[in-house]
Amino acid sequence: MALAPLPAGTRVKKYGVFAYVFAGSATGLSGSYDAETQASWIFTGNSSTNFGRSAVAGHLDTDDDSDLAIGATEDGSYYGGAVYLWLGPVS
């Protein structure tokens, strides 16, 4: 299963931040989706870190599997942040 580019749809909720990932193909996705019921994967972070503020899917290492990186712009020190990386294959 390939990871599609993430839609403009990482969503912030009052008690946490969620990054919704939809499985797709090389041509992407079409139509509209209900993230909470149709997402292939849901990643949950801490709202104080801005988890999910940025995300990218693609080939981030030397294998041919899709990988996922989700940013948390305020995780760490005052000038810091973090990137959470999941190396494929994702299932």
Side-chain angles (χ1 to χ4, degrees):
M1 184 176 290
L3 288 175
L6 298 176
T10 54
R11 183 171 158 195
V12 178
K13 285 193 168 183
K14 184 176 180 183
Y15 297 108
V17 178
F18 303 90
Y20 298 98
V21 180
F22 296 86
S25 67
T27 59
L29 300 168
S30 63
S32 61
Y33 298 88
D34 177 21
E36 293 180 0
T37 62
Q38 294 179 298
S40 301
W41 301 276
I42 300 174
F43 296 88
T44 306
N46 185 324
S47 62
S48 66
T49 66
N50 278 335
F51 178 85
R53 183 97 176 179
S54 58
V56 64
H59 300 292
L60 304 175
D61 57 10
T62 59
D63 63 19
D64 287 331
D65 296 320
S66 292
D67 307 308
L68 176 65
I70 299 176
T73 58
E74 296 182 24
D75 190 352
S77 70
Y78 180 75
Y79 293 105
V83 174
Y84 295 90
L85 179 62
W86 288 269
L87 298 175
V90 177
S91 58

